[in-house]
Amino acid sequence: MTDTHVALVGFMGAGKSTLAWQAAQQTGRGYVDVDSDLEGLIGPIGTYFDEHGEPAFRAVEEVAVTEALLRSAPSIVALGGGAVTSAATRELLAERAITVWLDADLETCWERARATDRPLARDRAEFERLYAERRPLYADVADAVARDVHDIVLAAAGVHVKRGAIHHLGELVPGDGATALVSDPHVAGIHGMDAQLSLGARLAQTHELPLGEEAKTLAALDRLWQELRLDRRGTLVALGGGCTTDATGFAAATYLRGIPWTPVPSSLVAQVDAAIGGKTAIDLPQGKNLVGAFHWPVRTIVDPALLETLPSEQRREGMAEVVKTGLLANEPLWELPDDELVRRCAAFKAAVCLRDPHDRGDRAMLNLGHTFAHALEAAAGYDGVSHGQAVALGLTAALRLSGRDIGQVEEILAPKPVRVDRDKAWAAMQRDKKAVGGELRLVLLGDAGPRLDVAVPAEDVRRALDALIAG
Ligand SMILES: NC(=O)c1ccc[n+]([C@@H]2O[C@H](COP(=O)([O-])OP(=O)(O)OC[C@H]3O[C@@H](n4cnc5c(N)ncnc54)[C@H](O)[C@@H]3O)[C@@H](O)[C@H]2O)c1
Ligand SMILES: [Zn+2]
């Protein structure tokens, strides 16, 4: 996923160049616009068309597309509207790219296309005929359909967000090999049957991990490793919350030195956070997530309908990460209806993780509020303060230190100061951040977006932390 081209196909005027450029910005990829590269070589496409005819143009176009797709640095490549009429191009797309169909309605395409000198947009009737003729071609080559830049980013990350997706796992899990379905007893009881039915003949085994963090233990992993009967063409399917996806992802990273896996996240935390970005881990008695691997799923299948059975306290856990994401994106994503909220938050995290798959840079922004949160969780002995509560509090501290208003976060997440030992929390915070020269380095929000590694005087940090603690 992190080293494949993303090719944008679709009718002329669908907006491929603009959105490809935006997607390249968001994912940190290179950007290639085949039409404009071609114009650099052969001059205006309209003129070339008129002088040499369409077949000659298709031939040079095919060469340009091939060249773009054979480049090694993964890029977002915008193809001309007719490029997919070439069988050689279609074959290359299947081999070398995640192909995304940018689907736009006829009117939009016509308005945009006729304003330019496009040779095939001179006659409305002909334009309509071509629009209808090309659609099945796009549908056929596409791995995903996109309407906006967020859809493109999700496709680049292999994330498929669709209500009802749980009923189509057999087709959506890549490949045609056997699958093993891993879940927790609770989620298995609610959604397990739907998943089993839709995996159909591809389902070879089912497993249950213990509930909650118990899933992320060596004992649970040991059992899962020993029960697995897949060969290397098999795929592990993780249906559940972040504990199930973290543990199953780690099993997939390690079993037979690594097999493909597909999370089907069922909690809000997992849909907007845990199942996106390729981090997998289990816990040690010494701390959380201390053993793990980067192992990007072959696809992540997000069905927002699964959230309808999520208990409200679990939903609140997820909302803390949603608010964090909205603050980072500088948009009130928490106000969106579920399907859109999940799609936008997942796309935001996917973009950050594609830019920084191994957590060496930008990804640190996802820790907004988390240094405080971890300190509170540690001071509570990981008992009594949930991660979501702690993050809600941590976000208010980060906002205060950023000179921002905390009204909105208080309104949505209603964080309540927790009863923990102040000195313990402070000690944990310093351990986590190794205060250097009386300063701690935190993620804060600036006017132009998140700022990483901001040095904050220790006494300011301590004051912000103290405000989160009751009594
Ligand atoms: N890998 C990452 O990048 C990453 C990111 C964030 C969090 N995480 C990890 O995720 C874990 C927390 O995830 P979580 O909050 O989803 O916990 P979880 O997996 O324990 O799920 C929470 C509870 O919700 C239940 N549940 C899940 N989906 C449900 C549904 N659709 N209907 C009814 N009940 C449902 C589960 O059975 C469980 O009881 C932590 O271990 C954390 O470290 C990992
Ligand atoms: Zn978190």
Side-chain angles (χ1 to χ4, degrees):
M1 279 313 151
T2 53
D3 58 9
T4 321
H5 292 298
V6 173
L8 274 192
V9 302
F11 206 54
M12 60 187 120
K16 296 184 294 288
S17 303
T18 313
L19 290 181
W21 187 83
Q22 289 176 6
Q25 294 295 303
Q26 292 197 13
T27 57
R29 301 276 181 97
Y31 161 66
V32 180
D33 182 38
V34 174
D35 272 0
S36 72
D37 279 10
L38 258 179
E39 293 207 314
L41 291 170
I42 62 171
I45 289 174
T47 314
Y48 191 91
F49 233 81
D50 293 341
E51 286 173 6
H52 305 271
E54 182 168 355
F57 172 73
R58 294 293 167 219
V60 287
E61 181 183 43
E62 191 181 288
V63 174
V65 172
T66 306
E67 210 166 85
L69 292 178
L70 289 181
R71 282 182 211 173
S72 56
S75 307
I76 313 279
V77 184
L79 268 57
V84 295
T85 55
S86 148
T89 294
R90 292 198 297 271
E91 218 168 277
L92 201 63
L93 284 172
E95 252 167 57
R96 300 275 307 173
I98 297 169
T99 304
V100 181
W101 172 20
L102 187 59
D103 189 13
D105 59 72
L106 178 70
E107 264 341 291
T108 309
C109 292
W110 173 246
E111 286 309 319
R112 289 206 197 113
R114 77 176 179 160
T116 62
D117 176 37
R118 287 204 170 74
L120 298 174
R122 290 171 188 156
D123 175 75
R124 168 77 191 214
E126 176 58 15
F127 189 84
E128 277 183 31
R129 190 193 62 75
L130 207 57
Y131 181 88
E133 183 183 288
R134 294 262 175 87
R135 289 182 71 80
L137 269 182
Y138 300 133
D140 190 46
V141 292
D143 298 304
V145 182
R147 294 252 165 205
D148 62 14
V149 66
H150 311 295
D151 285 344
I152 300 171
V153 168
L154 287 168
V159 182
H160 179 90
V161 182
K162 184 129 180 105
R163 178 165 286 264
I166 187 135
H167 300 295
H168 304 278
L169 297 183
E171 306 102 80
L172 289 172
V173 174
D176 49 15
T179 63
L181 179 67
V182 186
S183 202
D184 78 26
H186 188 184
V187 174
I190 306 175
H191 299 291
M193 193 49 80
D194 284 341
Q196 290 190 30
L197 284 174
S198 80
L199 283 167
R202 296 187 61 187
L203 182 68
Q205 308 176 254
T206 60
H207 304 267
E208 277 186 14
L209 289 165
L211 265 183
E213 288 288 322
E214 275 303 305
K216 293 174 59 172
T217 59
L218 191 55
L221 254 289
D222 184 30
R223 231 189 72 202
L224 179 55
W225 280 323
Q226 298 207 44
E227 286 174 5
L228 283 175
R229 295 281 174 275
L230 294 175
D231 65 26
R232 296 188 58 183
R233 285 160 307 172
T235 302
L236 270 179
V237 178
L239 171 70
C243 292
T244 304
T245 59
D246 264 7
T248 308
F250 183 61
T254 46
Y255 185 70
L256 303 181
R257 299 192 185 86
I259 62 170
W261 76 294
T262 296
V264 184
S266 65
S267 70
L268 186 55
V269 168
Q271 295 197 347
V272 301
D273 196 353
I276 312 282
K279 273 191 187 178
T280 72
I282 60 170
D283 305 331
L284 292 182
Q286 287 80 355
K288 270 185 55 105
N289 299 325
L290 289 180
V291 173
F294 290 100
H295 190 49
W296 204 283
V298 285
R299 181 168 285 169
T300 302
I301 300 170
V302 182
D303 181 351
L306 301 187
L307 301 179
E308 281 156 21
T309 59
L310 193 68
S312 60
E313 68 271 18
Q314 295 301 336
R315 189 180 171 86
R316 270 200 299 280
E317 286 295 294
M319 278 314 280
E321 308 294 350
V322 168
V323 171
K324 175 193 80 177
T325 309
L327 290 170
L328 292 170
N330 199 19
E331 272 187 74
L333 300 178
W334 52 82
E335 290 173 358
L336 296 170
D338 265 15
D339 293 32
E340 194 54 6
L341 174 149
V342 164
R343 187 182 77 99
R344 293 294 311 280
C345 290
F348 184 87
K349 185 172 181 195
V352 175
C353 296
L354 285 173
R355 287 204 294 278
D356 180 19
H358 295 107
D359 201 0
R360 295 185 183 121
D362 251 15
R363 200 159 170 160
M365 77 168 71
L366 302 173
N367 281 330
L368 183 72
H370 275 61
T371 307
F372 291 98
H374 293 150
L376 297 173
E377 292 178 85
Y382 295 94
D383 193 27
V385 183
S386 76
H387 181 67
Q389 276 179 290
V391 168
L393 286 165
L395 289 174
T396 65
L399 285 176
R400 277 200 193 97
L401 290 173
S402 306
R404 296 270 193 118
D405 181 61
I406 62 166
Q408 250 179 339
V409 170
E410 290 203 304
E411 200 181 302
I412 316 151
L413 300 176
K416 305 242 179 337
V418 288
R419 253 171 226 292
V420 296
D421 186 285
R422 286 172 193 277
D423 294 325
K424 262 195 198 157
W426 179 237
M429 182 112 189
Q430 286 177 301
R431 224 176 16 250
D432 192 26
K433 282 289 129 175
K434 293 185 212 70
V436 187
E439 290 179 329
L440 276 82
R441 300 201 165 254
L442 299 175
V443 182
L444 296 182
L445 286 180
D447 291 333
R451 296 165 61 211
L452 312 182
D453 259 339
V454 184
V456 185
E459 65 265 27
D460 295 356
V461 178
R462 172 116 207 206
R463 204 172 316 120
L465 178 66
D466 273 336
L468 312 178
I469 298 171

